[in-house]
Amino acid sequence: MPEAMPRPAEQPLDRPAEQAGRRPLYRRLPLRQILCLLPLLVVAVWVVQHRSLIGSGARQMFTANPYWLLTAVATTGLGWVAVSFARQGTVLERLPARRLFATQFAAGAANHLLPSGIGASAVNIRFMTGCGLPPARSSAALALYFLAEATARVGLLLVLLVAFPEALRLGPLLPESVSGTVVAGVVAAAGVLVAGVALIRPVRRLVVTFLRTALADARSLHMRPSRALALWGGSLAFPLLQATGLVAVALALELEVRPAHVMLAYLAATAVAAVVPAPGGIGSVDAALVIALVAAGAPVESATSTVLAYRFITVWLPLIPGALVLGGLVRWKIV
């Protein structure tokens, strides 16, 4: 009879996890997995803080025309497509289309969590550097996008102001001192910025290097008709689609304002609200839109309802799916 193998000694139940051959819990959760869950946590906190606004916007949806609301949803989705084209137009390299669109969708969620577009900018820079672009060129592409989008938005605003000079009546709403204060604040901020760049040598060197890179890339891009068309076409289509979404919501709620005046109110409000560094324009865009719609002739109650419903579609509805996509992009090391 072969000799029986000795039975191993039983392991004590209270032995630490390292001695049992298992890693402790905090070692089994890498940093990237924690970062995947971070957007959802931040969104949950944000939703709790703004639950009253979200509820008000959702209640407006039940009394609106569903077909116009679907139009607003469609224009919101097409807006991400337009931004994807504009982002592609800022670089010579071909970016992966599906990942680029997913990144813009995720950047929309990140943009509503950090002020002044910092969230969206960080996501796009991470995406472009992950595609092989150096950080300097990624930053230059980001600056070119902002320049093209701002130029297109202001250009549309000026065209509508010339076509409908009497559309906005801000005189009864804002005191005369407000416009002077805003202009003085903008001029002072610009003066401080220029003085800082001129007097601080490291900052001046950094700005000069950045401008050289940006100008060289811009010249190269405009030598490629496909890139120039993508950049300026996407930059022009994005504010148009956003304004069309507000028009659709206004028609859904039967707001008695002409569609062209609603578009003008949107462009004017977003241009003014861009100065206020609020996450996703929460508060600043809402207030500016209400004021602009009232200036275009809408009652205060109807303007408020329209803005709440519009922001529900464009901000609050895509927020959680955008956070999920952002977490997935972080997990897959795309951003």
Side-chain angles (χ1 to χ4, degrees), residues 92-107:
L92 291 171
E93 292 80 1
R94 184 176 181 84
L95 302 174
R98 294 181 181 179
R99 294 182 180 182
L100 177 60
F101 177 78
T103 301
Q104 303 319 305
F105 183 57

Side-chain angles (χ1 to χ4, degrees), residues 244-320:
T244 303
L246 182 60
V247 170
V249 174
L251 292 173
L253 294 174
E254 299 180 355
L255 186 70
E256 296 180 358
V257 179
R258 295 175 59 183
H261 293 185
V262 174
M263 296 185 71
L264 177 57
Y266 172 82
L267 294 171
T270 52
V272 172
V275 181
V276 181
I282 303 299
S284 59
V285 172
D286 300 333
L289 282 175
V290 171
I291 293 174
L293 289 176
V294 172
V300 177
E301 295 80 5
S302 301
T304 304
S305 300
T306 301
V307 171
L308 287 175
Y310 173 71
R311 297 289 278 174
F312 181 85
I313 292 174
T314 57
V315 176
W316 305 319
L317 195 60
L319 191 57
I320 294 179

Side-chain angles (χ1 to χ4, degrees), residues 13 23 61 86 114 129 150 152 180 232 261 288 296-297:
L13 297 178
R23 300 174 64 184
M61 314 288 284
L114 295 173
T129 53
W232 293 104
H261 293 185

Side-chain angles (χ1 to χ4, degrees), residues 9-16 19-20:
E10 295 184 0
Q11 302 289 345
L13 297 178
D14 58 347
R15 197 167 69 171
Q19 297 179 6

Side-chain angles (χ1 to χ4, degrees), residues 109-125:
N111 201 38
H112 296 302
L113 304 176
L114 295 173
S116 300
I118 296 176
S121 301
V123 170
N124 277 285
I125 287 179

Side-chain angles (χ1 to χ4, degrees), residues 105-302:
F105 183 57
N111 201 38
H112 296 302
L113 304 176
L114 295 173
S116 300
I118 296 176
S121 301
V123 170
N124 277 285
I125 287 179
R126 290 278 300 176
F127 170 71
M128 286 186 286
T129 53
C131 292
L133 274 73
R137 291 195 56 211
S138 300
S139 301
L142 185 67
L144 181 59
Y145 166 77
F146 281 130
L147 177 62
E149 203 272 340
T151 302
R153 189 179 295 268
V154 174
L156 286 173
L157 175 60
L158 293 177
V159 169
L160 289 177
L161 282 174
V162 171
F164 306 97
E166 302 297 328
L168 298 180
R169 299 180 295 275
L170 294 174
L173 297 175
L174 299 178
E176 296 180 358
S177 60
V178 172
S179 58
T181 303
V182 172
V183 172
V186 172
V187 171
V192 171
L193 180 62
V194 172
V197 173
L199 298 177
I200 304 175
R201 181 176 297 179
V203 176
R204 184 172 65 249
R205 187 184 303 114
L206 181 63
V207 170
V208 170
T209 303
F210 170 77
L211 289 177
R212 287 176 179 173
T213 303
L215 290 176
D217 284 354
R219 284 194 297 266
S220 301
L221 287 167
H222 286 82
M223 297 297 294
R224 296 271 298 272
S226 60
R227 292 296 185 265
L229 179 61
L231 172 63
W232 293 104
S235 299
L236 183 66
F238 180 56
L240 273 176
L241 288 167
Q242 286 185 316
T244 303
L246 182 60
V247 170
V249 174
L251 292 173
L253 294 174
E254 299 180 355
L255 186 70
E256 296 180 358
V257 179
R258 295 175 59 183
H261 293 185
V262 174
M263 296 185 71
L264 177 57
Y266 172 82
L267 294 171
T270 52
V272 172
V275 181
V276 181
I282 303 299
S284 59
V285 172
D286 300 333
L289 282 175
V290 171
I291 293 174
L293 289 176
V294 172
V300 177
E301 295 80 5
S302 301

